[in-house]
Amino acid sequence: MKPLGFTIDIIEKSATLSSEGAAICLPANAMLALDKLGLSKPVLNLAYQVDQIEYALSSGKTLARASLHTAPLNKAPFVALKRDDLMSVLRKDIAEDVQLNTWLEDIKQDNNEVLVTFQSGETKAYDLVVAADGINSSVRQMVQPNSAPLTHKVTNWRFTAKKPVVGIQPTYYVGNESAFMIYPISEDEVYCYGQIMDEDGKFASLASNKAIQEVFSDYASPITECINSLSEDQHIVLGQLKTVQHTEPLFNRVVLVGDALHGCPPSLQQGAGMSLEDINCLADFLEQHELHHALKQYQQKRAVRVTWTVKESNKIIKLAGLGRSPIGRFIRNTIIRLKGPANVVGWRKLLTEMD
C-alpha cells in the first residue's frame, strides 16, 4: 500500500479479522471524522439514528433529557450500529493487505529509523511505527515501560436484544452500584450495556447470563424485558473497565493512536470517535509536513483533547459510583438534574470548546 506516497505494512496479531464487542455508539464527532474519510454515508446506511438522550433512575424515573438536534449537537447525526457492520466499512479495500498472525517482539530506535523485530525473528527498519493495538498495547509498553492500564474494578457486559419498546431512545439507568444503558441500533434491536462496582470480582467470576440477571433484577421495564430475553447461548461480551495511565502520543518515531493512546471507560462513547480523529489528524500532518515536524504537530494538536476526554470519562465513572451511599446518590442525581445527561455535557464541550 502507498497512501500519501508511503509504503505501509499493516500487521494484525490475530489469525482472522474479527471484532470484539456487540455494538457501538457514534456521537457527532465520530460521524464528522468518518465524513472526512468519505465513510459517513456507508455507515449511515447500516446504522440507526437517535434523537435524544435520557438519564433515569433504576426505577425508570427520569432524571434528565437532552435533544440531539440542538446546536452544537446537531453538527452530525448520532447513530449506533453493530460493531461488525462498522468494521466491514472500515476494512473495505484494505483487508487483503493486512498481514495476519504477525506482531512486534522488540523495538529499537535512533533519530532516523525504528528497527522492528517481529515474532518470526525477522528484523525490519521503518521511518515510523503507528501503534493501534488497543488499551493493553504491547507497543506502548515497549516504548513506555510500566504503562499497563489501571482498572476501575468495574465489571461490564455488552449484548444485543430485541427492541423492548417501539420508538425507544438511548436511556442510561443508574442504580446504587450499577448502571444499565439501552441504545437502539435498528428498528428491531437494541444495544445493551450493564456495569457494576465489583471490587472482589464476584460478578466477573459468574456466568454472564446469571450475573446480569442477579445485578439488574430490580431494574424497571424495559430493562427487565432485555435481560429476561437472554438465552444460555446468547453472545455476551464480558469486560473490566480500564484506563490508560498516561496520554503521551509520541515516542521519537513511534506514535500511539486509538485505545493505545486514550483507552478509557466508554462514558462518552469516544473509543471510535477519538481513534478516527487521531488518524485524520496524523494523516493531515504527514501530508503537509516532513515526518519530524508532522509528528510534533500531531503531538501538540491531540494533547489537550485526548487528555481531557480520558479524565472526563473517568470522572463520569466516579459520578456513577457516588450511588453507593444515600448522600452520594443525592449529590449524583442533583448534578444530573441540574447539568443534564453527563455524556451530553461532554459532547457539547468536544464539539465546541475542544474542537
Side-chain angles (χ1 to χ4, degrees):
M1 293 184 68
K2 284 199 170 186
L4 300 179
F6 298 106
T7 300
I8 295 178
D9 291 337
I10 306 174
I11 66 170
E12 166 58 48
K13 188 173 184 178
S14 301
T16 60
L17 289 178
S18 58
S19 62
E20 295 181 3
I24 190 164
C25 309
L26 299 176
N29 68 301
M31 293 306 297
L32 291 171
L34 282 167
D35 189 58
K36 187 170 182 178
L37 291 167
L39 298 175
S40 61
K41 287 185 178 179
V43 168
L44 280 171
N45 288 338
L46 297 168
Y48 187 88
Q49 184 174 350
V50 298
D51 302 302
Q52 72 172 27
I53 299 292
E54 178 178 345
Y55 269 42
L57 297 176
S58 58
S59 64
K61 183 179 179 181
T62 298
L63 288 172
R65 287 194 186 98
S67 170
L68 297 173
H69 295 294
T70 58
L73 303 170
N74 60 357
K75 287 186 176 183
F78 278 69
V79 305
L81 71 166
K82 290 185 176 179
R83 185 175 287 268
D84 284 342
D85 287 342
L86 175 63
M87 296 309 296
S88 70
V89 173
L90 295 178
R91 289 173 178 155
K92 187 176 183 295
D93 300 328
I94 69 165
E96 62 185 25
D97 296 308
V98 179
Q99 301 174 37
L100 300 172
N101 281 316
T102 307
W103 63 92
L104 279 60
E105 289 284 4
D106 187 48
I107 291 175
K108 289 184 173 61
Q109 297 193 69
D110 61 27
N111 291 328
N112 299 312
E113 66 179 13
V114 187
L115 197 63
V116 169
T117 301
F118 295 97
Q119 91 288 348
S120 63
E122 178 189 7
T123 298
K124 192 170 180 179
Y126 292 92
D127 295 314
L128 174 66
V129 170
V130 179
D133 53 341
I135 192 168
N136 297 307
S137 171
S138 61
V139 175
R140 184 185 63 230
Q141 188 68 19
M142 291 177 198
V143 296
Q144 189 181 38
N146 302 314
S147 62
L150 302 174
T151 179
H152 288 271
K153 297 186 178 178
V154 175
T155 296
N156 63 81
W157 304 269
R158 306 164 196 247
F159 61 94
T160 59
K162 289 184 178 180
K163 185 177 285 188
V165 179
V166 175
I168 190 173
Q169 291 292 316
T171 308
Y172 298 73
Y173 298 88
V174 291
N176 295 351
E177 296 184 294
S178 59
F180 197 97
M181 176 197 77
I182 296 178
Y183 212 109
I185 57 174
S186 72
E187 292 293 343
D188 305 309
E189 288 182 287
V190 290
Y191 169 40
C192 297
Y193 169 93
Q195 69 175 47
I196 187 168
M197 305 290 176
D198 194 17
E199 293 176 351
D200 59 2
K202 168 189 171 183
F203 295 103
S205 66
L206 296 176
S208 293
N209 189 307
K210 181 179 179 181
I212 291 170
Q213 296 284 351
E214 182 174 339
V215 172
F216 304 105
S217 61
D218 61 346
Y219 273 59
S221 175
I223 298 165
T224 49
E225 285 89 335
C226 292
I227 63 175
N228 288 338
S229 71
L230 289 173
S231 60
E232 290 187 5
D233 60 350
Q234 172 84 37
H235 176 61
I236 301 172
V237 180
L238 170 67
Q240 298 289 321
L241 293 189
K242 298 179 181 179
T243 188
V244 294
Q245 297 187 58
H246 315 287
T247 51
E248 175 58 51
L250 181 63
F251 300 86
N252 197 0
R253 293 209 172 195
V254 175
V255 64
L256 305 182
V257 300
D259 281 352
L261 171 59
H262 43 66
C264 60
S267 317
L268 294 173
Q269 286 87 45
Q270 284 301 310
M274 295 296 286
S275 301
L276 292 164
E277 288 182 6
D278 293 340
I279 296 304
N280 281 335
C281 181
L282 182 59
D284 285 347
F285 287 131
L286 287 173
E287 185 176 25
Q288 297 164 12
H289 306 286
E290 58 84 23
L291 182 57
H292 177 75
H293 187 54
L295 295 179
K296 288 296 182 183
Q297 291 286 97
Y298 172 79
Q299 181 181 36
Q300 293 170 14
K301 178 71 173 177
R302 295 302 288 159
V304 173
R305 189 172 177 87
V306 163
T307 300
W308 180 87
T309 300
V310 171
K311 287 183 177 179
E312 188 67 14
S313 297
N314 291 332
K315 190 169 128 182
I316 293 174
I317 290 298
K318 290 180 180 178
L319 176 66
L322 290 176
R324 304 179 90 172
S325 70
I327 185 63
R329 285 194 292 277
F330 174 78
I331 293 171
R332 178 197 66 190
N333 297 346
T334 300
I335 290 172
I336 294 172
R337 287 190 179 103
L338 291 175
K339 293 188 174 182
N343 50 2
V344 176
V345 174
W347 294 337
R348 286 197 183 102
K349 193 173 179 75
L350 286 171
L351 290 165
T352 52
E353 298 173 47
M354 306 292 297
D355 196 7

